[in-house]
Amino acid sequence: MKTVSEVLIHPYGTDQGSTVLHVLIEEFSSSRWTLFAGAVHFAKLSGHYDSLIAAMRLFLEGGATLSVTFGADVFGADDAASDYSAIEMLLAEFEAYPEFKLFLYHEKGRTFHPKVYLFANEETDKALLIVGSSNWSEGGFANNVEVSVRLELDLAADDHRLVYDKLLSTIEQFWQEAT
């Protein structure tokens, strides 16, 4: 099974619309997906681009499920910490949508460090996986030098289904551990 893939390098791909931020906005705005699950080291208020929030709202209004887990090891002004205001803003922005779930992950002695963005549609046997170095921040989406890989998965193929199932199971385990 051939996998459609793309390397997203920014800020160098910005002019071509080939950054994690561009892909997230495009995919949230499309009607291809029924599920989004993300696991991201930290969230910053600077990552709440109006166009991204609008695309997420459109995604939820289309009946899709959107769940994201952010690390909650520390909150504050530190560059490697989530902004409490970023979490509050997302919760307030999407409180009317029961299909939106936000989890905070904290485990003593470990740092929650993934940067995984997963879209899926089980009915069409398709998924889109973005894995890389981009946090939910202006730096991660636009200003830093970041590298991510975008992979289109065919869930009808056994090897792709195994990757998808393992990743979704792991993200769901994060949700359980976050509670």
Side-chain angles (χ1 to χ4, degrees):
M1 174 67 39
K2 183 178 177 182
T3 302
V4 177
S5 60
E6 177 183 9
V7 177
L8 308 171
I9 304 172
H10 52 81
Y12 309 111
T14 303
D15 293 341
Q16 296 82 25
S18 188
T19 67
V20 170
L21 177 62
H22 289 111
V23 172
L24 289 174
I25 292 168
E26 179 182 324
E27 297 304 333
F28 277 127
S29 299
S30 79
S31 58
R32 292 176 53 186
W33 312 114
T34 58
L35 171 123
F36 173 83
V40 185
H41 173 50
F42 64 78
K44 294 284 191 188
L45 202 51
S46 67
H48 294 349
Y49 289 85
D50 290 342
S51 53
L52 176 59
I53 299 302
M56 292 167 67
R57 189 177 307 106
L58 183 66
F59 186 75
L60 288 164
E61 288 170 355
T65 300
L66 194 161
S67 302
V68 64
T69 303
F70 293 113
D73 299 308
V74 290
F75 286 97
D78 184 343
D79 283 344
S82 286
D83 290 338
Y84 190 72
S85 58
I87 303 304
E88 285 182 317
M89 184 271 185
L90 284 172
L91 290 172
E93 186 71 37
F94 298 116
E95 70 181 331
Y97 299 94
E99 303 82 11
F100 175 79
K101 297 193 179 4
L102 189 147
F103 301 91
L104 298 175
Y105 185 98
H106 174 73
E107 183 180 350
K108 187 176 177 144
R110 290 190 188 193
T111 299
F112 187 76
H113 211 257
K115 288 94 174 173
V116 175
Y117 303 91
L118 178 66
F119 291 92
N121 186 329
E122 296 260 352
E123 290 179 16
T124 62
D125 279 330
K126 301 292 180 202
L128 172 71
L129 170 62
I130 303 167
V131 178
S133 61
S134 294
N135 281 302
W136 192 280
S137 66
E138 184 177 29
F141 287 152
N143 294 342
N144 296 345
V145 176
E146 304 279 355
V147 176
S148 297
V149 176
R150 171 187 174 157
L151 301 169
E152 300 249 352
L153 301 176
D154 177 354
L155 303 181
D158 291 343
D159 56 339
H160 290 207
R161 174 57 77 168
L162 284 171
V163 168
Y164 171 76
D165 287 345
K166 175 66 175 172
L167 187 55
L168 192 56
S169 168
T170 300
I171 291 172
E172 288 172 354
Q173 183 178 345
F174 294 155
W175 300 340
Q176 293 167 6
E177 291 175 3
T179 59

